[in-house]
């Protein structure tokens, strides 16, 4: 920073610090008498732990009469009545820069391996406003993700936001790993929110791999961490993606999962005193989701293509979080348990999935081929029960006969090995050939 810039900051430096004192701890919350602060501001709680001074970071989440309600980023061990609370007059900041690529960090931007942050990083706030709607260029360029079923049947554009909807154990993490390794994006930013601690390293080593990690920044907030850390994991990953988008890059953001972000916000909302509404989710959950999801997409400099996984409770696609997220995003990919049970991976249910921008991105020939394959697959699925039990007689319906003839080829086309790499042009070419020749 230049000397002139430093001098210009002098009038903004506070001449005194604001302090308060912890009054009591209730559940997940810390109630403090002061300091003067605002919602979203970070405070430092000074405590004595095993004879040593220690500082715990906490965020102002609300007020109760004249008390400030704080939620810590870490555990509350050793906090006691009278612990000093210092206001920083700033929201949460993280350090971002190109030297962060290839690293795994926590929600506060600290490397998980305990190493020091590289030098030369820029400072950014985790919470930003979404781009102005009129400053978003239209999406008119395809984004290759390297998954044949998506590139051909659910074509995604640069800056599009897509949800991956699935129950547990249907292959969400595996699909994210395939996209991260195969995509033509300049950079991957992956947020693992609420994951089991065991799964973080497994995802990095097995699903992402060394090749994928070399152009990826991973933000991990495991399920044992406080609710605030899980929420900040999502906001930190989005802020990192925004930083590189503003540098003119095409970024791929993958978040696993949006549902756990909503659950963390529900924990905070209930602790603060919000009334539970649909399925126990508080009103703030439905306010925070669009604020988070709308930050991705295009702006005047670059793009963030985003994939958000959504845990479907009991495979019910109409549960509150699934319904809300699906309404905000530009498309949805549904992973089906029945499809995975018969060994078809990735287990994408083409008939229940849609890309809202495919009609604007794909060529006429490509669209005609995709529509024909959808029609054939739909015809087969509508008559599947009759076909399986042998009740259907060949020649009864020309459409069903044709669908039966095409079906093995369609299923073979939709299958893809976990480490199999297929380019977008090859996928489209194979789709067109399939639509013309069948199985």
């Amino acid at each position: 920073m230049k000397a002139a810039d430093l001098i210009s900051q002098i009038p903004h430096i506070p001449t005194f610090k604001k302090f308060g004192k912890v009054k009591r701890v209730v559940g997940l919350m810390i109630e403090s008498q002061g300091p003067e602060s605002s919602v979203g501001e970070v405070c430092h709680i000074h405590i004595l732990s095993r004879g040593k001074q220690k500082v715990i970071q906490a965020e102002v989440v609300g007020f109760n009469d004249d008390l400030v309600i704080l939620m810590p980023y870490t555990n509350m061990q050793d906090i006691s009545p009278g612990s000093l609370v210092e206001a920083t007059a700033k929201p949460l900041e993280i350090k971002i820069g190109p030297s962060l690529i290839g690293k795994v960090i926590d929600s506060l931007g600290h490397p998980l391996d305990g190493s020091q942050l590289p030098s030369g990083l820029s400072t950014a706030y985790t919470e930003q406003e979404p781009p102005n709607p009129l400053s978003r260029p239209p999406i008119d360029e395809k984004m290759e993700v390297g998954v044949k079923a998506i590139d051909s049947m659910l074509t995604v554009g640069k800056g599009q936001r897509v949800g991956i909807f699935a129950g547990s154990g249907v292959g969400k993490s595996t699909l994210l790993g395939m996209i991260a390794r195969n995509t033509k994006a300049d950079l991957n930013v992956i947020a693992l929110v609420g994951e089991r601690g065991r799964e973080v390293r497994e995802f990095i080593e097995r699903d992402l791999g060394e090749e994928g990690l070399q152009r990826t920044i991973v933000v991990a907030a495991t399920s044992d961490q406080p609710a605030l850390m899980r929420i900040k994991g999502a906001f930190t990953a989005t802020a990192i993606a925004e930083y590189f988008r503003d540098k003119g890059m095409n970024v791929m953001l993958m978040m696993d999962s949006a549902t756990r972000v909503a659950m963390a916000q529900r924990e905070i909302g209930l602790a603060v005193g919000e009334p539970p509404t649909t399925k126990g989710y508080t009103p703030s959950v439905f306010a925070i989701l669009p604020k988070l999801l709308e930050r991705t997409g295009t702006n005047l400099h670059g793009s963030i293509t985003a994939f958000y996984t959504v845990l479907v409770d009991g495979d019910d696609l109409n549960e509150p979080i699934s319904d809300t997220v699906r309404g905000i995003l530009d498309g949805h990919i549904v992973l089906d348990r029945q499809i995975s049970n018969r060994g078809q991976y990735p287990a994408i249910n083409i008939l229940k999935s849609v890309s809202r921008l495919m009609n604007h991105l794909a060529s006429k020939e490509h669209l005609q081929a995709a529509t024909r394959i959808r029609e054939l697959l739909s015809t087969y699925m509508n008559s599947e029960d009759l076909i399986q039990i042998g009740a259907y007689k060949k020649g009864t319906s020309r459409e069903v006969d044709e669908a039966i003839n095409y079906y093995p080829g369609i299923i073979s086309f939709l299958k893809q090995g976990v480490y199999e790499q297929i380019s977008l042009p090859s996928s489209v070419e194979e789709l067109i050939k399939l639509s013309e020749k069948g199985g």
Side-chain angles (χ1 to χ4, degrees), residues 139 141-145 150-151 154-162 252 305-307 333 355 357-358 361 424:
I139 298 170
E141 192 176 348
K142 296 176 187 176
M143 169 60 79
E144 182 175 321
V145 299
I150 297 175
D151 281 338
L154 303 162
T155 308
V156 174
K158 288 182 180 178
Q160 186 171 346
R161 302 157 307 147
V162 182
M252 177 71 75
T305 307
F307 284 87
I333 295 169
S355 169
L357 294 175
M358 182 172 175
L361 298 169
L424 190 149

Side-chain angles (χ1 to χ4, degrees), residues 17-20 22 43-49 52-57 78-88:
K17 291 184 177 180
K18 299 174 183 177
F19 291 95
V22 172
C43 292
H44 293 160
I45 303 174
H46 299 267
I47 61 173
L48 190 65
S49 175
K52 294 182 180 179
Q53 287 291 336
K54 183 180 173 184
V55 174
I56 290 178
Q57 282 188 302
D78 297 322
I79 293 177
S80 59
S83 293
L84 205 61
V85 181
E86 177 190 349
T88 64

Side-chain angles (χ1 to χ4, degrees), residues 63-306:
F63 305 96
N64 184 8
D65 294 331
D66 59 342
L67 296 178
V68 178
I69 302 176
L70 302 150
M71 178 169 271
Y73 292 127
T74 54
N75 63 56
M76 295 189 283
Q77 192 174 353
D78 297 322
I79 293 177
S80 59
S83 293
L84 205 61
V85 181
E86 177 190 349
T88 64
K90 291 181 181 179
L92 182 63
E93 296 177 325
I94 56 168
K95 298 287 188 180
I96 311 175
S99 53
L100 215 55
I101 297 172
K103 292 195 173 294
V104 183
I105 61 174
D106 65 13
S107 301
L108 305 181
H110 304 142
L112 275 184
D113 59 5
S115 63
Q116 294 295 316
L117 278 171
S119 58
L121 299 178
S122 303
T123 301
Y125 294 126
T126 59
E127 299 206 27
Q128 305 279 356
E129 289 297 316
N132 185 306
L134 296 181
S135 71
R136 290 181 182 268
I139 298 170
D140 54 10
E141 192 176 348
K142 296 176 187 176
M143 169 60 79
E144 182 175 321
V145 299
V147 178
K148 186 163 53 171
I150 297 175
D151 281 338
S152 62
M153 300 294 294
L154 303 162
T155 308
V156 174
K158 288 182 180 178
Q160 186 171 346
R161 302 157 307 147
V162 182
I164 298 175
F165 295 76
S168 56
V170 188
K172 295 184 302 300
S173 297
T174 303
L175 180 57
L176 289 182
M178 288 176 69
I179 294 171
R181 289 193 305 273
N182 299 342
T183 181
K184 295 300 182 184
D186 300 324
L187 172 71
N188 299 316
V189 179
I190 301 177
L192 303 176
V193 180
E195 287 287 337
R196 303 172 188 88
R198 169 185 63 81
E199 291 180 336
V200 173
R201 184 166 179 176
E202 284 185 2
F203 174 82
I204 293 167
E205 293 183 357
R206 295 180 187 175
D207 295 326
L208 187 58
E210 187 177 342
E211 180 187 347
L213 186 60
Q214 287 176 356
R215 56 193 184 100
T216 300
I217 299 172
V218 179
V219 182
T222 51
S223 58
D224 59 293
Q225 293 182 324
L228 195 58
M229 280 289 273
R230 281 175 268 147
I231 289 177
K232 291 301 174 186
F235 281 87
T236 294
T238 305
I240 292 170
E242 287 171 328
Y243 171 87
F244 288 101
R245 175 180 64 184
D246 291 342
K247 298 291 183 186
M249 297 174 71
N250 294 309
V251 183
M252 177 71 75
L253 172 66
M254 286 170 274
M255 191 174 295
D256 187 13
S257 71
T259 307
R260 293 195 180 108
V261 176
M263 289 177 173
Q265 181 60 36
R266 177 174 61 181
E267 281 183 46
I268 294 174
L270 291 172
V272 173
E274 281 189 79
T277 53
T278 314
K279 283 206 173 180
Y281 288 101
T282 57
S284 62
V285 173
F286 302 101
I288 199 174
L289 283 173
K291 286 182 180 177
L292 175 65
L293 303 180
E294 285 290 347
R295 286 170 61 180
T296 54
T298 59
N299 72 357
L300 295 173
H301 308 288
S303 69
I304 302 173
T305 307

Side-chain angles (χ1 to χ4, degrees), residues 404-416:
I404 292 171
N405 181 48
Y406 273 78
Y407 185 72
I410 294 172
I411 296 304
S412 176
F413 170 76
L414 295 175
K415 287 182 179 180
Q416 183 173 341

Side-chain angles (χ1 to χ4, degrees), residues 365-419:
E365 189 180 18
H366 179 185
L367 282 174
Q368 287 175 342
T371 302
R372 176 156 171 73
I373 295 301
R374 274 182 178 271
E375 288 172 350
L376 290 164
L377 193 56
S378 177
T379 301
Y380 183 91
M381 299 311 294
N382 288 336
S383 305
E384 186 179 28
D385 290 342
L386 292 174
I387 297 167
Q388 294 297 332
I389 64 173
Y392 175 76
K393 291 184 179 179
K394 190 175 181 181
T396 306
S397 167
R398 184 176 63 82
E399 289 81 8
V400 176
D401 288 345
E402 191 176 31
I404 292 171
N405 181 48
Y406 273 78
Y407 185 72
I410 294 172
I411 296 304
S412 176
F413 170 76
L414 295 175
K415 287 182 179 180
Q416 183 173 341
V418 174
Y419 297 100

